[in-house]
Amino acid sequence: MKRIVGIILLLLSIALIGILVLRIWGIEIVSLTAVLKSTTTLVLLGVAIIILIIIYGALLRNDRRGYDRKSGSRAHPKL
């Protein structure tokens, strides 16, 4: 998973640097406002996903459901 995230971040960095280099030369593929709007949207989606993961982990998970309580003092997963 770390490798996939790293590859995605590397590709996004290369794309952003490419856009900035083209902008230096006066070539405009994507406007700055479009980049800012899409960045803001991605940040908001990321925050929403993190909040949903925290809510799911804190409130909706039932950790006891997956273990057999009658099998002894150690936790044994149900088969």
Side-chain angles (χ1 to χ4, degrees), residues 27-56:
I27 302 169
E28 187 173 331
I29 294 175
V30 179
S31 68
L32 185 60
T33 57
V35 171
L36 290 176
K37 285 181 183 180
S38 56
T39 303
T40 305
T41 303
L42 289 174
V43 168
L44 287 174
L45 285 174
V47 169
I49 289 171
I50 290 172
I51 289 172
L52 288 174
I53 289 172
I54 290 171
I55 289 173
Y56 175 75

Side-chain angles (χ1 to χ4, degrees), residues 16-28:
L16 181 64
I17 291 169
I19 289 173
L20 291 175
V21 168
L22 289 174
R23 181 117 174 136
I24 289 171
W25 287 94
I27 302 169
E28 187 173 331

